[in-house]
Amino acid sequence: MPIHASPNAWVLETHSTAYALGINASGALVHRYWGPRLPYPADYPPARDFGEWSSFYGRSEINLEEYPAYGGASYREPCFKATFADRVRDTVLEFRSSEVQGDELQIVLEDAFYPLGVTLHYRALEAFDLLERWVTVHNFGPDPIRLERIFSAQWHLSILEDYRLSHLGGRWLEEFQLVQEPLTHGVKVLESRRITSGHQNYPWFALDRADAPALEERGELWFGVLEWSGNWKATFERTEFGSTRVGIGLNDWDFALLLGEGESFVAPKSVAGYSSTGFGGASRALHRRVRSSLPHGDAPHKVLYNSWEATGFEVNEAGQMELAEIAASLGVELFVMDDGWFHGRNSDAAGLGDWWPDERKFPHGLEPLISRVNAHGMDFGLWLEPEMVSIESDLYRAHPDWAIHFPTRARTEMRNQLILNLAKLEVQDHLIARIDGLLSSLNIKFIKWDMNRNASEPGWDGAQEPRALWVRYVEGVYRVWDTLRQRHPNVTFQSCSGGGGRADLAMLTRADQVWPSDNTEPTTRLEIQHGASYVLPACALEAWVTDMESERMPPFGRGESALRRGKMPLEFRFHASMCGVLGIGANLLHWDESEREQARALIEQYKAIQPIVQNGELFRLKSPIKGAFSALEYLSPDRTEGVLFAFRTHLSEPVVLPPLRLAGLEREALYQMDGLEGPLSGTALMNVGISLELKDFSSVLWRFYRV
Ligand code: GLA
């Protein structure tokens, strides 16, 4: 049973973890426990009252309040802050009732004086070993309430321990970089202020004990994510009394929501978990959860070709047809035309908003190209950047007021473009009509939905509370996607934002995959995929084989690492991309017949292993961050077969690679593996490991199965 409830104490249990909360002697709702599932309900610690507070100890200094509001003698990072119509800015949330509905627990809190309700929602996701938390805020009264901070959850860690924080930092071309640091006294903030979830920080965290750090497959880890595609904030607070707490939710920077009479607001979900099998166990739980909420579930993702790196804005009917013919001959299943196809789009200086085919490049529209692509047995996909408008466009000339702006300020252009205000219903409806028109009149099966700048001058003319833009914009984006998906359920969407700028879990309930980075150089891409894999499964990570060379930028936050110059061997590039959803983005006209032959064979091999990589379990055997020799293992869901990828970039001499130990196998079972003579036991493969001989800049893909 996932939820044990009594009138003043609750325990949520998943397959192997548990979370407990309760009302303490002072009547406050407090955190009790988060960790491995315990044998009996009585095992969970009681709701403790941490006692008196004196002149310098505020209410929440030591008490583990479950959902602290800003109010009273409280100096901690609150989860909630509001201003009432009479300008009182102090909230006193009191417990009223609780209810269990299936796997969901609801705890109803109400303000002691004002008609404000906050319902805390908890779900025990038993099968995924994860918890979900979010809140609904209600205004029961006639006067508006201004909400100024709404976190979805506060996650408490066990007190008087020192922790290490792991998170994912990054930037354009270098997303998903793992950062690990001790969590010291004070507050550490991770956030996005850009209107998307952002390249700079990913809404994921993991904490482990400083004196017992988690490893890949061992050790305890507490982790969480926020399912939200806009501005978010996570606060990691370590108090002077040694308690550690994580608040996560919408960003309160430049933020306010006005809740009118009878209105409610539902905050995004925070998903969290506890792993006793280190980072590997934590990410496999998140992978299962992400896979289960993808629009098309575990349906195989088609091997795609994308023309962007080959043609840039120079697209036209003949050129695309030529590429499509070669792509089809290699075994590509989906041909995607990227930027440059629509009215007036010859560079990034014009055209966004005018979503009809450029008359010069496609004099007969897109139909002839799509028919040709279909005749080659491939589906057709198209790039769109619907949230944007170029100053140089018919749409902007007709509706300059649709762009996000302050009337008295210059409109900062980034990549020569402005953002449409999707908080406005008329803008949403316009986009729905335009894109619906394209999808209804043409045989389009895939949309790469891009978003290539961040917000600035965030005005919203006519709004009662313009600071709600940050949230209402994102809700507008969701409405457009959801309406289109409902009308065109067979279309697959990809979420791109200059690479991985909007790759969060809320997008991945609408898109089946994300474009993790514009960096397709395979050695840095291995690092980006490695970081992304802490949260995202392989099936959500589109990965193209291109001709991109390195080195473009200094490594993120680190000193000079392995030498990466020139183009990696084609096989290495394919193997790196086969660890995600394989695509090709190179200019196929530049590949000679032997390269095409090799590509054909590798695509065929990929199709054979695709179900294991996409729907299987990932074991990160050796990190590409820690050295020039890295390896990944994918096991089929029933763990009877697997795929091993190993990469070597550059190691200084002498070079004897360390043994590579596999993971997740049955100890007594025998496994036959490519490249080895006889079958070996799981114990041997996991404890002794295998020796690989890899030259500089080479890779292997070995399959294995249980005999
Ligand atoms: C962004 C995307 C690229 C490409 C270009 C087109 O940068 O991330 O993949 O689509 O836009 O302008």
Side-chain angles (χ1 to χ4, degrees):
M1 175 165 131
I3 301 177
H4 303 276
S6 73
N8 59 4
W10 304 269
V11 180
L12 291 100
E13 288 179 337
T14 67
H15 182 257
S16 59
T17 77
Y19 185 91
L21 64 162
I23 311 286
N24 71 11
S26 319
L29 180 69
V30 293
H31 171 78
R32 292 164 53 201
Y33 177 81
W34 183 21
R37 183 174 169 158
L38 304 177
Y40 307 105
D43 289 337
Y44 295 102
R48 285 176 68 186
D49 200 337
F50 287 80
E52 307 278 303
W53 47 93
S54 65
S55 48
F56 294 111
Y57 295 179
R59 186 187 75 222
S60 59
E61 311 290 279
I62 38 187
N63 277 336
L64 306 180
E65 278 182 283
E66 186 64 9
Y67 192 76
Y70 174 83
S74 153
Y75 309 98
R76 297 295 166 220
E77 285 293 331
C79 280
F80 185 88
K81 184 167 185 298
T83 300
F84 298 96
D86 60 5
R87 299 195 186 175
V88 166
R89 320 189 295 285
D90 183 286
T91 301
V92 179
L93 293 177
E94 295 178 340
F95 173 73
R96 288 286 180 275
S97 62
S98 72
E99 194 181 338
V100 175
Q101 290 176 353
D103 61 356
E104 184 182 328
L105 166 68
Q106 293 187 5
I107 301 224
V108 177
L109 309 176
E110 277 174 21
D111 188 84
F113 181 83
Y114 296 94
L116 166 79
V118 177
T119 306
L120 311 186
H121 304 261
Y122 297 81
R123 275 181 76 204
L125 306 177
E126 214 173 350
F128 305 127
D129 247 349
L130 293 171
L131 300 160
E132 258 178 18
R133 283 181 66 180
W134 71 102
V135 301
T136 311
V137 187
H138 313 272
N139 179 0
F140 301 119
D143 299 325
I145 302 173
R146 190 178 302 271
L147 306 178
E148 289 158 6
R149 180 183 278 200
I150 314 164
F151 278 179
S152 298
Q154 180 148 129
W155 299 101
H156 289 275
L157 280 288
S158 157
I159 60 168
L160 297 170
E161 304 270 12
D162 291 327
Y163 289 93
R164 173 181 68 162
L165 172 64
S166 301
H167 58 101
L168 296 166
R171 58 187 178 194
W172 178 56
L173 294 178
E174 228 168 357
E175 296 85 343
F176 297 108
Q177 304 294 314
L178 183 68
V179 181
Q180 297 189 303
E181 58 193 314
L183 192 64
T184 52
H185 181 81
V187 183
K188 162 99 186 172
V189 174
L190 297 172
E191 63 177 348
S192 165
R193 301 179 173 190
R194 296 171 185 256
I195 219 165
T196 56
S197 35
H199 294 83
Q200 292 70 22
N201 295 298
Y202 190 90
W204 169 83
F205 67 87
L207 289 155
D208 50 356
R209 289 203 183 100
D211 62 357
L215 303 174
E216 238 340 279
E217 295 300 333
R218 256 182 300 148
E220 293 189 294
L221 194 71
W222 291 261
F223 60 96
V225 289
L226 184 74
E227 279 191 12
W228 180 245
S229 314
N231 289 3
W232 60 274
K233 183 170 184 173
T235 58
F236 301 86
E237 185 167 20
R238 164 87 186 174
T239 74
E240 69 271 40
F241 295 104
S243 69
T244 301
R245 45 198 66 191
V246 181
I248 191 163
L250 299 178
N251 202 338
D252 58 352
W253 174 80
D254 191 37
F255 162 80
L257 275 185
L258 215 51
L259 218 54
E261 177 175 4
E263 286 181 351
S264 299
F265 176 77
V266 185
K269 283 179 183 156
S270 168
V271 180
Y274 159 83
S275 164
S276 59
T277 48
F279 288 90
S283 46
R284 285 188 294 275
L286 287 172
H287 293 177
R288 284 193 290 274
R289 151 75 199 233
V290 174
R291 278 201 301 262
S292 76
S293 46
L294 296 177
H296 295 102
D298 54 16
H301 291 222
K302 301 208 155 151
V303 177
L304 69 74
Y305 178 76
N306 179 294
S307 58
W308 173 246
E309 289 192 26
T311 64
F313 297 101
E314 301 291 311
V315 298
N316 58 48
E317 191 180 287
Q320 292 289 303
M321 283 183 179
E322 199 179 3
L323 287 168
E325 188 171 337
I326 308 172
S329 77
L330 303 182
V332 167
E333 301 159 302
L334 166 66
F335 183 84
V336 182
M337 179 160 65
D338 209 279
D339 199 351
W341 63 270
F342 47 96
H343 180 69
R345 184 70 164 175
N346 298 314
S347 71
D348 64 14
L352 294 169
D354 296 349
W355 300 112
W356 59 89
D358 186 78
E359 297 75 2
R360 202 175 48 82
K361 299 174 179 176
F362 296 93
H364 313 289
L366 298 185
E367 222 292 310
L369 171 62
I370 297 179
S371 298
R372 181 72 73 89
V373 165
N374 292 160
H376 284 305
M378 297 184 292
D379 282 346
F380 180 79
L382 195 62
W383 180 94
L384 289 173
E385 198 183 355
E387 295 154 75
M388 298 294 152
V389 65
S390 307
I391 305 272
E392 187 49 47
S393 68
D394 287 1
L395 182 69
Y396 188 72
R397 282 183 284 270
H399 298 286
D401 52 315
W402 279 6
I404 293 176
H405 71 285
F406 287 125
T408 56
R409 298 288 177 210
R411 303 175 181 203
T412 302
E413 290 174 47
M414 295 161 88
R415 212 189 187 209
N416 307 305
Q417 60 199 58
L418 299 173
I419 307 185
L420 294 172
N421 187 347
L422 267 82
K424 294 184 176 188
L425 207 61
E426 56 184 326
V427 176
Q428 297 168 20
D429 288 341
H430 167 82
L431 291 180
I432 290 170
R434 269 263 161 247
I435 303 168
D436 184 39
L438 281 170
L439 296 179
S440 304
S441 59
L442 294 165
N443 189 18
I444 296 171
K445 289 283 170 53
F446 180 94
I447 293 289
K448 174 178 172 184
W449 184 299
D450 212 336
M451 202 300 184
N452 278 318
R453 64 159 288 179
N454 297 143
S456 60
E457 299 92 26
W460 177 5
D461 49 307
Q464 223 187 333
E465 178 41 272
R467 285 177 297 171
L469 174 82
W470 302 108
V471 170
R472 301 303 184 200
Y473 176 93
V474 178
E475 290 175 342
V477 173
Y478 290 165
R479 176 170 169 256
V480 175
W481 278 67
D482 293 344
T483 311
L484 292 169
R485 285 203 316 108
Q486 191 207 342
R487 290 190 198 168
H488 303 280
N490 295 328
V491 175
T492 296
F493 287 81
Q494 181 189 84
S495 171
C496 172
S497 178
R502 195 164 60 185
D504 54 85
L505 266 54
M507 281 324 260
L508 279 166
T509 62
R510 298 170 169 93
D512 280 281
Q513 50 170 254
V514 299
W515 177 233
S517 181
D518 281 343
N519 191 339
T520 56
E521 188 284 313
T523 60
T524 26
R525 192 54 180 249
L526 281 177
E527 298 179 0
I528 291 166
Q529 290 173 185
H530 172 84
S533 79
Y534 286 101
V535 190
L536 303 178
C539 66
L541 301 170
E542 177 69 32
W544 308 341
V545 176
T546 71
D547 291 330
M548 189 187 271
E549 297 187 10
S550 234
E551 168 163 0
R552 293 167 56 130
M553 302 174 85
F556 178 86
R558 281 178 283 127
E560 197 62 32
S561 65
L563 177 76
R564 330 174 176 121
R565 272 211 185 87
K567 220 158 63 179
M568 292 292 135
L570 191 62
E571 185 181 63
F572 186 109
R573 285 179 269 153
F574 262 93
H575 285 166
S577 294
M578 285 156 94
C579 295
V581 180
L582 176 66
I584 299 179
N587 190 338
L588 296 176
L589 301 173
H590 296 166
W591 284 10
D592 63 23
E593 197 34 57
S594 78
E595 288 174 301
R596 292 183 195 171
E597 195 50 55
Q598 201 183 357
R600 213 167 279 137
L602 286 158
I603 290 176
E604 199 178 305
Q605 192 182 18
Y606 170 73
K607 287 177 184 168
I609 60 162
Q610 192 183 17
I612 304 177
V613 174
Q614 284 198 20
N615 301 321
E617 295 187 278
L618 169 67
F619 294 83
R620 287 175 293 254
L621 302 181
K622 275 202 172 294
S623 156
I625 314 291
K626 297 201 172 120
F629 172 43
S630 66
L632 295 170
E633 174 191 330
Y634 297 87
L635 274 185
S636 64
D638 64 2
R639 297 199 171 189
T640 57
E641 50 178 333
V643 188
L644 174 73
F645 288 95
F647 301 90
R648 176 174 161 196
T649 51
H650 177 85
L651 293 174
S652 44
E653 304 291 335
V655 182
V656 179
L657 297 183
L660 186 62
R661 297 189 181 89
L662 276 70
L665 306 180
E666 253 179 63
R667 300 211 145 268
E668 305 297 320
L670 286 171
Y671 296 85
Q672 181 64 54
M673 178 172 266
D674 288 350
L676 298 183
E677 270 177 19
L680 290 176
S681 70
T683 309
L685 290 168
M686 294 193 293
N687 287 46
V688 184
I690 56 176
S691 304
L692 289 174
E693 281 173 27
L694 282 176
K695 296 199 190 67
D696 271 9
F697 307 119
S698 68
S699 56
V700 294
L701 185 177
W702 282 2
R703 296 185 64 170
F704 58 92
Y705 57 92
R706 202 164 73 193
V707 292

